[in-house]
Amino acid sequence: MANWNAPSTTLPCKACGATLPPKARRNPTLAHSWRGGPKRKSLGSPVSLPPPPLFDLVILGSGPGGYRAAVLAAQRGLRVAVIEEGIWGGCCLNRGCVPKRAWHETARSVDLTDAAQRGIQGKLTVDFVVAWQHQRHIVERVRDSYLSFLDRLGVERIEGRGRIAAPGAVVVDDRRINATHILIATGSHPHLPQGWPSDNPRILTTNDLFDTLPPHRGHWALIGGGIVAVELAYILPLLGIGVTWLCRSTPLKHIPEVVRTPVLQALARRGIAPRIAPIPTPEIDNDAVRIGGECFDAVLVATGRTPNTSDLGLEHLDLEAHGPISVNERCQTAAPGVWAIGDCTPGPMTANRAMREALTVVDAITGAATPTKGWRNQIPTAIYSATEGAFFGPEDEALEDAGFEPAVGFVAFDVLPQALAQGQAHGFARLVADMDSGEVLAGQVVGEQAGELIQMLSTLPPGQALRFLAQSAVNHPSLSEIWSEVAIGMGKQWGLNPQLWGETAPD
């Protein structure tokens, strides 16, 4: 056996027999990395090695999921690039959540159902052109902030169509970009019913609604029964646009009934209700659009969205190139090093889901955490219409089918001074916990700030949720008091006091 501590300068390498310098003797496995290299025997033609990855993570798409993933990854020290073919910020920022929320706040400002009781006189009206410009100013301001933040974090922004050429490689025009990980966050586009034209200015999608100033005089037909349609059915009339709402079936049919019914009732109190019937293909001329013999100046189609998964090079990864991309619990595709999140994967098409899945992907890439079982059930969904509605988790029957014994807590807003001050006595909060463990399984809120209140449930510490709610210090008067009221009531009603106050507490 060779003595690696010997002073000889002619000690041979075990791998190739080359003479090693003194500094390499103590670590023969690194002997060939010393500057200048060893005097090796000829091994034939040189081996061509692939270039090292240029980025740790390359993201296709800059919507809420892609943007969130870029920020989280860059803040953890990863080298990140984002590729965007369209408008930076994706659908949510430019054509969805952000501009629609701006309009919703405008609509609420003129929808003062208790104005007379408050001594407010007169009638407010909205200038649609100014309201449209207002949401554009907000969108542009947020987009500028997004891009500035990405630049400060050192994220490279690449404009163009990104296509996956091979595992670990994306091509944009003539540029090849190597990466250890690729995240597909390409979002979705509006779906038009079969046979409906996509190039007629009188047939509008939600993209058209926010891309350019739409025709805002006359009477529109609104087609659809999902969350977006239910929101626009409330917003558009208050912005001065006449609307006839047409649906093929009951609106919000995929939303828990406990939320769906009060949201639709709030619309009905304002004279807004859908006409449920088959919807024929429109007949269009220069002056109007005819649907079933009724004439409209324009038709706004809000009938869902289709994943953006075509022409991405997915065939090079043996992935399905059409429709949603299948992923596992950690948002991994079947291709190593390739991940997918948001609208381009199966599941609810919400920014909330895309942003939460971005965290899951970055955690997995960096080895930070493993998602808990059922983590997607904790992602909230919100509706901003004549009243707000929000929820997370399965419905009661699904929980029972899964083997849980649900304990339900319910408190109406009319016990809260703040809700009465805001004219929101019709609201409520509902909480579902497991009888055995006290673990929070689901929650629903209807009323003012429901979208904010639901988040108090979706971030609760595992195993301590009811105790956290019951013992939280909150501002008074405020709507956030509702959850402590619900939790405390459940302790007495369902014998869950030990989960609230400790093992020695009486049931």
Side-chain angles (χ1 to χ4, degrees):
M1 179 178 294
N3 180 5
W4 290 95
N5 294 314
S8 171
T9 59
T10 59
L11 192 63
C13 171
K14 289 183 177 182
C16 66
T19 299
L20 301 179
K23 291 183 179 180
R25 294 174 189 159
R26 295 184 181 274
N27 194 348
T29 60
L30 300 178
H32 290 176
S33 67
W34 66 282
R35 182 172 295 182
K39 297 178 181 179
R40 293 185 287 184
K41 295 179 179 179
S42 174
L43 300 178
S45 301
V47 178
S48 177
L49 298 177
L54 180 59
F55 294 99
D56 299 304
L57 176 62
V58 167
I59 303 169
L60 303 181
S62 68
Y67 172 81
R68 179 72 166 168
V71 169
L72 292 172
Q75 288 177 325
R76 300 190 198 185
L78 273 62
R79 297 164 295 172
V80 182
V82 179
I83 301 170
E84 175 58 64
E85 180 185 26
I87 306 174
W88 287 92
C91 172
C92 175
L93 172 57
N94 297 285
R95 299 160 171 168
C97 322
V98 174
K100 184 156 51 65
R101 285 288 282 123
W103 275 4
H104 183 259
E105 290 300 320
T106 301
R108 282 167 40 86
S109 298
V110 297
D111 184 27
L112 300 177
T113 56
D114 60 349
Q117 297 172 350
R118 297 177 181 275
I120 300 174
Q121 300 179 354
K123 182 178 180 180
L124 295 173
T125 59
V126 177
D127 184 321
F128 183 84
V129 175
V130 176
W132 190 89
Q133 293 170 340
H134 175 252
Q135 59 85 18
R136 291 311 301 169
H137 292 321
I138 293 174
V139 167
E140 291 166 3
R141 179 173 178 177
V142 175
R143 187 192 306 124
D144 289 344
S145 175
Y146 275 15
L147 298 183
S148 176
F149 193 35
L150 290 178
D151 292 342
R152 292 199 305 273
L153 289 173
V155 175
E156 181 166 343
R157 296 189 284 115
I158 303 171
E159 295 187 353
R161 179 77 176 187
R163 296 177 177 86
I164 301 173
V170 177
V171 173
V172 181
D173 298 327
D174 295 329
R175 179 182 177 185
R176 182 183 177 96
I177 304 165
N178 294 323
T180 306
H181 299 277
I182 298 171
L183 172 59
I184 304 171
T186 47
S188 60
H189 60 273
H191 166 78
L192 281 173
Q194 187 174 4
W196 286 53
S198 60
D199 57 354
N200 190 287
R202 292 186 182 274
I203 304 296
L204 307 175
T205 68
T206 50
N207 281 9
D208 303 318
L209 194 61
F210 297 109
D211 279 351
T212 57
L213 182 66
H216 52 278
R217 293 179 175 84
H219 196 87
W220 292 8
L222 170 62
I223 312 294
I227 290 178
V228 172
V230 169
E231 293 173 336
L232 292 174
Y234 168 72
I235 292 170
L236 292 176
L238 290 166
L239 299 188
I241 296 175
V243 170
T244 296
W245 183 14
L246 306 176
C247 297
R248 290 187 174 91
S249 58
T250 302
L252 301 180
K253 60 184 179 181
H254 299 301
I255 301 301
E257 190 277 334
V258 69
V259 175
R260 176 177 65 247
T261 296
V263 169
L264 295 179
Q265 288 174 342
L267 286 168
R269 288 195 293 270
R270 292 162 173 81
I272 302 171
R275 184 189 305 169
I276 301 175
I279 302 173
T281 302
E283 301 174 7
I284 307 171
D285 57 32
N286 293 331
D287 299 321
V289 181
R290 292 178 176 83
I291 299 179
E294 193 169 359
C295 291
F296 301 98
D297 296 285
V299 177
L300 175 59
V301 183
T303 53
R305 302 182 68 83
T306 300
N308 292 330
T309 55
S310 61
D311 195 25
L312 294 178
L314 299 183
E315 64 277 7
H316 297 138
L317 306 174
D318 293 328
L319 298 178
E320 178 60 44
H322 302 284
I325 302 170
S326 297
V327 294
N328 64 13
E329 190 71 5
R330 305 188 76 182
C331 303
Q332 292 173 298
T333 72
V338 180
W339 314 72
I341 61 174
D343 288 7
C344 66
T345 65
M349 290 185 172
T350 68
N352 302 353
R353 177 171 75 96
M355 295 175 71
R356 179 59 182 84
E357 289 175 341
L359 173 62
T360 296
V361 169
V362 175
D363 278 350
I365 289 174
T366 59
T370 300
T372 57
K373 183 179 179 180
W375 61 271
R376 282 191 172 91
N377 287 335
Q378 303 297 313
I379 301 173
T381 297
I383 306 165
Y384 299 94
S385 189
T387 189
E388 292 183 32
F391 63 93
F392 81 92
E395 295 193 61
D396 296 2
E397 290 184 2
L399 291 172
E400 291 175 354
D401 292 342
F404 294 103
E405 188 175 354
V408 178
F410 181 98
V411 172
F413 274 21
D414 61 8
V415 304
L416 300 178
Q418 181 64 24
L420 296 175
Q422 294 180 225
Q424 295 292 328
H426 64 274
F428 66 84
R430 185 174 184 272
L431 184 64
V432 184
D434 181 37
M435 276 283 293
D436 295 329
S437 65
E439 189 70 26
V440 170
L441 304 172
Q444 304 91 27
V445 191
V446 171
E448 184 76 0
Q449 297 181 26
E452 299 290 334
L453 290 172
I454 198 68
Q455 295 179 96
M456 294 181 66
L457 297 185
S458 62
T459 57
L460 292 173
Q464 304 178 49
L466 288 180
R467 178 177 298 188
F468 179 87
L469 292 174
Q471 299 186 19
S472 291
V474 295
N475 184 46
H476 175 80
S478 70
L479 297 179
S480 59
E481 295 177 87
I482 195 76
W483 291 124
S484 61
E485 297 294 329
V486 172
I488 292 170
M490 293 177 70
K492 180 63 175 177
Q493 179 181 0
W494 297 101
L496 295 174
N497 274 334
Q499 282 88 346
L500 269 63
W501 315 112
E503 293 300 329
T504 59
D507 291 342

